Amino acid sequence: MALIVQKFGGSSVADVSKIQNIAQKISKFYSDNNKIVVVVSAMGDSTDILLEMANEINSHPSSREMDMLLSTGEQVSIALLAMALDAINIPVISFTGSQVGIITDNIHCKARINKIVTDKITCALDENKVVIVAGFQGRTIENEITTLGRGGSDTTAVALATSLNADLCEIYTDVDGVYTTDPRIVKEAVKLNEITYDEMLELASLGAGVLHPRSVELAKLYNVPLSVRSSFSNEEGTKVVNTTLLEKEIVVTGVTRDLNVAKIGLFDVPDIPGIASKIFNFLANEHINVDMIVQSAMRNDLNDIAFTIPKDDLNKALEIINRIKDDIKISEVVYADDVAKVSIVGAGMITSPGVAAKMFKILADNNVNLKMISTSEIKVSCIVDADQADKSVQLLHESFNLANLK
Amino acid sequence: MALIVQKFGGSSVADVSKIQNIAQKISKFYSDNNKIVVVVSAMGDSTDILLEMANEINSHPSSREMDMLLSTGEQVSIALLAMALDAINIPVISFTGSQVGIITDNIHCKARINKIVTDKITCALDENKVVIVAGFQGRTIENEITTLGRGGSDTTAVALATSLNADLCEIYTDVDGVYTTDPRIVKEAVKLNEITYDEMLELASLGAGVLHPRSVELAKLYNVPLSVRSSFSNEEGTKVVNTTLLEKEIVVTGVTRDLNVAKIGLFDVPDIPGIASKIFNFLANEHINVDMIVQSAMRNDLNDIAFTIPKDDLNKALEIINRIKDDIKISEVVYADDVAKVSIVGAGMITSPGVAAKMFKILADNNVNLKMISTSEIKVSCIVDADQADKSVQLLHESFNLANLK
């Protein structure tokens, strides 16, 4: 008997028949004498429909009311999934994030989980019920409804797995595991049987889209056994593990592409200590995640600073910068949202020099212009024109021989 | 400066432009220095869409999960209305029923309000905010989400008005007041400027559909000044008052028709004390509201009992009766759902004998067959064939000269 947390994303609960399909899947695990906690996202495109109405009504909706609105999506899913399990005689109970005691900070739309009160869940598990928890949402100690931002349901699942000391956390999605790259871009992409937390973290951050980076970070921190599987098949997925034997041999494990990127350039920023910190603090205060930052060589005591942010945050970021622009004497602000981030990831890079150089050469030989470069111990990322992103991924996947990985 | 509770029904918030229209209406009251608490229902047919999915998944969904599902409807409305008010610079905050502290009993889908914790509302009003509360919903002391059943949002509004000691409770709807009968059936129907709680209570119970009977009951009990108005015009509506001058002159104030009626007949029920109470207790335990009850003259120590219930509850009621049928020796159970209840209502009836007789004669003269009759001090109701209901209403409206009322 094991305690398993299973998370199903929006595409897995997109309609009535998919919800029934998932209920069947859960019932098999339940019948095998496991204790099951299920985390679900909002149905298919229901969140988009709500967002559309909100934006029609208010171009700058309050983030508190946005949380009030969006949290209804998962509440619909948990109720319907509970009804589907009940229909096949599986004892079940559903809880909203507020109800079950997922306590967050008070940053609406991007809240972080502070703690989870597990009493209600353990009590229901003791009664042999499947427990369904709404993903993506929680509440502050003042009982204000919050949401966790992008990929929040993954985070809910991992946080629950940690708090409940679960034996396994399974993330069900519409693909059957983690691939060397997006199979829609490179048809030779292969599924990985195992991947390290660190590699997954880089892949997740880079827009592989299978798992949210926050959830991987949390899983790594608390050593939660994580597995990525398909909602629509019974195949084994990809295990995310602490260390892997693969590390010895393989330098590059995956190639990713992220189109949700915008680039902002600030020209002629005075070279005064604290200026960069000031700019990025203003952005951080508005909860804009700055990703890559590049500062060019100084000319005449002036710096050029370029950085990337999620495309959604571009307008907000430009507003902030225009507000402080004169104050900190930036001569010009430029931006682009027709760019993409292409990255290679692999734990083996640490011990294999020249990987970045090989990447740059492959891209240069094929006339891909690199607009920004950023590296970590286990990844190299480049900003390229959006329309060259797929081509770059295909070239790198082939050149690093990823089709022959396992 | 007055404290006004305003309730807007589903048709008043059916789409984005209607929500914006209501925001404008609310802003006028706010700008006139009133303190405003707004109660809203779910958008248009959103509840029906949720119900449809639920029924597709489970033919007997658990009432707890049904509440979990349906309560999302109002939560969407309150968030969108808050965004609409914010867009025109009216300070505003929304609350779910759970959040604001509308504490109910634990009868899911038909919960009754036990008390309302008003701290959050009064605090927000003190900050000069418009407060939006989700209608139709509350929570138990164990923090389980409940809904109040049909017309629950009206009840929420009146209960809030009482708890907050409001100066006025306005129910906005898609008609501009209470009419002598449904203008879609009788085009000569006229709007009443005033009506007593008792008359409104009878009209509401009889399916006039403008106000839910529970809300009128509550308003009467706590003497809440109530007003029925149109969401789509600025006309004065109908005031619901304690006593009215009309009472002296006018015998019949309204004619109603209710198609949501099913009739069950039990033949040859043994004439043993407590049998009727046993039957109706079984129904009450399953929260089926029995309306009219008629027991015929006894033959050979056997009674025939007939009663009416809401059409929705017919299957459930038949199930219960078939379960207990043999035990209490009922020889035959018959039922009909192609019936309607036609009623006349008027506070003046108490002092005007012969009103019921006049009603029966009008219907008999026009070949309308009366299947059941039930009377109270201020109303007479008859069960007729559903296809004769509209004709009956037209005849009664004309014969009692209601087109000339004010």
Side-chain angles (χ1 to χ4, degrees):
Chain A
M1 194 178 79
L3 171 54
I4 309 176
V5 175
Q6 303 184 314
K7 180 256 171 177
F8 295 91
S11 60
S12 308
V13 292
D15 57 39
V16 164
S17 73
K18 283 185 176 144
I19 290 173
Q20 288 168 326
N21 171 50
I22 281 178
Q24 288 294 347
K25 197 178 264 288
I26 295 166
S27 76
K28 290 206 188 79
F29 284 91
Y30 179 82
S31 306
D32 286 346
N33 268 320
N34 294 300
K35 292 200 174 290
I36 313 286
V37 176
V38 180
V39 174
V40 273
S41 305
M43 291 172 74
D45 55 0
S46 61
T47 302
D48 293 337
I49 294 168
L50 293 175
L51 276 173
E52 205 176 290
M53 285 197 292
N55 288 324
E56 220 179 307
I57 285 176
N58 193 322
S59 54
H60 288 84
S62 116
S63 54
R64 177 194 186 272
E65 299 298 342
M66 199 55 122
D67 282 352
M68 181 67 91
L69 182 69
L70 295 186
S71 61
T72 61
E74 291 76 30
Q75 194 173 328
V76 168
S77 303
I78 59 170
L80 292 178
L81 182 56
M83 289 175 188
L85 280 160
D86 179 45
I88 53 173
N89 297 314
I90 305 293
V92 61
I93 189 164
S94 76
F95 294 114
T96 65
S98 295
Q99 234 176 4
V100 85
I102 295 180
I103 312 296
T104 72
D105 61 20
N106 56 11
I107 312 298
H108 283 288
C109 293
K110 287 184 181 179
R112 298 210 153 236
I113 298 175
N114 285 340
K115 73 167 179 180
I116 298 183
V117 186
T118 53
D119 312 17
K120 283 205 173 189
I121 300 176
T122 48
C123 185
L125 289 174
D126 287 345
E127 290 167 1
N128 278 316
K129 286 178 182 157
V130 169
V131 177
I132 304 176
V133 178
F136 179 71
Q137 56 179 250
R139 66 167 173 89
T140 67
I141 45 169
E142 295 87 14
N143 207 15
E144 292 281 296
I145 295 171
T146 50
T147 64
L148 309 179
R150 281 188 181 236
S153 292
D154 291 348
T155 307
T156 303
V158 174
L160 277 170
T162 306
S163 304
L164 294 165
N165 207 3
D167 299 293
L168 182 59
C169 179
E170 297 184 321
I171 308 289
Y172 286 86
T173 173
D174 50 0
V175 296
D176 56 0
V178 180
Y179 276 71
T180 50
T181 194
D182 187 338
R184 287 168 299 189
I185 304 175
V186 181
K187 66 175 191 303
E188 293 82 9
V190 292
K191 193 183 78 184
L192 298 163
N193 292 328
E194 274 193 347
I195 189 170
T196 65
Y197 288 120
D198 286 333
E199 285 173 329
M200 191 65 235
L201 200 50
E202 291 290 0
L203 286 173
S205 305
L206 298 171
V210 182
L211 272 179
H212 195 269
R214 280 169 61 192
S215 62
V216 184
E217 215 172 68
L218 203 61
K220 184 190 172 192
L221 190 61
Y222 292 101
N223 217 355
V224 177
L226 206 58
S227 166
V228 179
R229 305 184 62 174
S230 166
S231 300
F232 309 114
S233 81
N234 290 318
E235 265 188 70
E236 283 293 322
T238 300
K239 289 204 175 88
V240 188
V241 294
N242 218 332
T243 55
T244 161
L245 295 173
L246 291 175
E247 212 170 333
K248 291 181 297 189
E249 305 280 342
I250 298 158
V251 176
V252 177
T253 319
V255 184
T256 69
R257 174 206 72 172
D258 187 0
L259 294 176
N260 182 26
V261 176
K263 173 175 172 273
I264 296 182
L266 310 178
F267 291 161
D268 299 338
V269 183
D271 185 42
I272 300 164
I275 280 280
S277 115
K278 197 166 178 181
I279 295 169
F280 294 115
N281 263 323
F282 269 109
L283 294 169
N285 286 341
E286 298 288 324
H287 308 288
I288 295 173
N289 285 321
V290 174
D291 179 24
M292 296 164 70
I293 302 178
V294 174
Q295 183 168 318
S296 72
M298 187 175 61
R299 294 166 305 164
N300 310 326
D301 295 333
L302 294 173
N303 286 316
D304 291 348
I305 298 178
F307 57 92
T308 63
I309 52 173
K311 209 178 271 185
D312 313 341
D313 286 335
L314 180 60
N315 286 336
K316 209 166 156 192
L318 289 174
E319 247 175 51
I320 295 165
I321 287 167
N322 283 323
R323 209 164 55 221
I324 59 174
K325 190 182 145 190
D326 294 340
D327 193 30
I328 54 179
K329 302 195 176 60
I330 301 170
S331 75
E332 198 183 345
V333 178
V334 295
Y335 63 91
D337 62 0
D338 54 348
V339 293
K341 183 166 61 169
V342 172
S343 312
I344 55 172
V345 171
M349 275 189 212
I350 302 176
T351 50
S352 300
V355 177
K358 182 173 174 189
M359 179 184 186
F360 303 153
K361 183 165 192 313
I362 294 163
L363 295 176
D365 286 352
N366 289 277
N367 298 315
V368 177
N369 189 22
L370 307 185
K371 296 164 176 295
M372 280 173 82
I373 294 168
S374 145
T375 62
S376 82
E377 289 188 319
I378 66 163
K379 72 128 205 236
V380 184
S381 295
C382 304
I383 296 295
V384 303
D385 278 335
D387 57 10
Q388 291 192 307
D390 286 4
K391 173 182 152 189
S392 303
V393 171
Q394 285 152 0
L395 286 166
L396 294 167
H397 197 270
E398 200 191 326
S399 305
F400 284 105
N401 198 23
L402 294 185
N404 298 317
L405 269 195
K406 268 291 161 190
Chain B
M1 194 178 81
L3 172 52
I4 309 177
V5 176
Q6 303 185 313
K7 180 255 170 179
F8 295 91
S11 59
S12 309
V13 292
D15 58 38
V16 164
S17 73
K18 283 185 176 144
I19 290 173
Q20 288 169 325
N21 171 50
I22 281 177
Q24 288 294 347
K25 196 178 265 287
I26 295 166
S27 76
K28 291 208 187 77
F29 284 90
Y30 179 83
S31 306
D32 285 347
N33 269 320
N34 296 298
K35 292 199 174 291
I36 313 285
V37 176
V38 180
V39 174
V40 271
S41 305
M43 290 173 75
D45 55 0
S46 62
T47 303
D48 293 336
I49 294 169
L50 293 175
L51 276 173
E52 206 176 288
M53 285 197 292
N55 288 324
E56 220 179 307
I57 285 175
N58 193 322
S59 53
H60 288 84
S62 117
S63 55
R64 178 194 186 272
E65 299 299 340
M66 198 55 121
D67 282 351
M68 182 68 91
L69 182 70
L70 295 186
S71 60
T72 61
E74 291 76 30
Q75 195 172 328
V76 168
S77 304
I78 60 171
L80 292 178
L81 182 56
M83 290 174 188
L85 280 161
D86 179 44
I88 53 172
N89 297 314
I90 305 292
V92 61
I93 189 165
S94 76
F95 295 114
T96 65
S98 294
Q99 232 176 7
V100 85
I102 296 182
I103 312 295
T104 72
D105 60 22
N106 56 12
I107 313 298
H108 283 289
C109 293
K110 287 183 180 180
R112 298 209 153 237
I113 299 173
N114 285 341
K115 73 166 179 181
I116 298 182
V117 186
T118 52
D119 312 17
K120 283 205 173 189
I121 300 176
T122 48
C123 185
L125 289 174
D126 287 345
E127 290 167 1
N128 277 318
K129 287 179 181 157
V130 169
V131 177
I132 305 177
V133 179
F136 179 70
Q137 57 179 250
R139 66 167 174 91
T140 66
I141 44 170
E142 294 87 14
N143 206 14
E144 293 282 296
I145 296 171
T146 51
T147 65
L148 309 179
R150 281 187 180 235
S153 292
D154 290 348
T155 307
T156 304
V158 175
L160 277 170
T162 306
S163 305
L164 294 165
N165 209 4
D167 299 293
L168 181 59
C169 180
E170 297 183 322
I171 308 288
Y172 285 84
T173 174
D174 49 1
V175 295
D176 58 359
V178 181
Y179 277 71
T180 50
T181 195
D182 187 338
R184 287 168 300 189
I185 305 175
V186 181
K187 66 176 191 303
E188 293 83 8
V190 292
K191 192 183 79 186
L192 298 163
N193 293 328
E194 274 194 349
I195 187 170
T196 66
Y197 288 120
D198 287 333
E199 286 172 329
M200 192 64 236
L201 200 48
E202 292 288 0
L203 286 173
S205 306
L206 298 171
V210 183
L211 271 180
H212 194 269
R214 282 168 60 191
S215 63
V216 184
E217 216 172 70
L218 202 61
K220 185 189 172 192
L221 190 61
Y222 293 100
N223 218 356
V224 177
L226 207 59
S227 166
V228 178
R229 304 184 65 172
S230 166
S231 299
F232 309 114
S233 81
N234 290 317
E235 266 188 69
E236 283 293 322
T238 300
K239 287 204 174 89
V240 189
V241 293
N242 217 334
T243 54
T244 160
L245 294 173
L246 291 174
E247 213 172 330
K248 290 181 297 188
E249 306 278 344
I250 299 156
V251 177
V252 176
T253 320
V255 183
T256 69
R257 175 206 71 171
D258 186 359
L259 294 176
N260 182 25
V261 176
K263 175 176 171 270
I264 296 183
L266 310 177
F267 291 161
D268 299 337
V269 182
D271 186 41
I272 300 165
I275 282 280
S277 114
K278 197 167 177 180
I279 296 167
F280 293 115
N281 262 322
F282 269 108
L283 295 170
N285 286 341
E286 299 288 325
H287 308 288
I288 294 173
N289 284 322
V290 174
D291 179 23
M292 296 164 71
I293 301 179
V294 173
Q295 182 167 321
S296 73
M298 185 176 61
R299 295 164 307 163
N300 309 327
D301 295 334
L302 295 173
N303 285 317
D304 291 350
I305 298 178
F307 58 91
T308 63
I309 53 174
K311 209 179 270 184
D312 312 340
D313 286 335
L314 181 59
N315 286 335
K316 208 165 158 193
L318 289 174
E319 248 174 50
I320 295 164
I321 287 167
N322 283 323
R323 209 162 58 219
I324 60 173
K325 190 184 146 189
D326 294 338
D327 192 32
I328 54 177
K329 301 193 177 62
I330 301 170
S331 75
E332 198 184 343
V333 179
V334 295
Y335 64 91
D337 62 359
D338 56 347
V339 293
K341 182 164 65 169
V342 172
S343 313
I344 55 173
V345 172
M349 274 188 211
I350 302 176
T351 50
S352 300
V355 177
K358 182 174 173 189
M359 177 185 188
F360 303 153
K361 184 166 189 316
I362 294 162
L363 295 176
D365 285 352
N366 289 278
N367 300 315
V368 177
N369 189 22
L370 307 186
K371 296 164 175 295
M372 279 173 82
I373 294 168
S374 145
T375 62
S376 82
E377 287 188 320
I378 67 163
K379 73 124 204 240
V380 185
S381 295
C382 304
I383 297 295
V384 302
D385 279 334
D387 57 10
Q388 291 192 308
D390 286 4
K391 173 181 149 188
S392 303
V393 170
Q394 285 152 359
L395 287 165
L396 294 167
H397 197 270
E398 199 191 327
S399 306
F400 284 106
N401 199 23
L402 295 185
N404 297 318
L405 269 194
K406 269 291 161 190

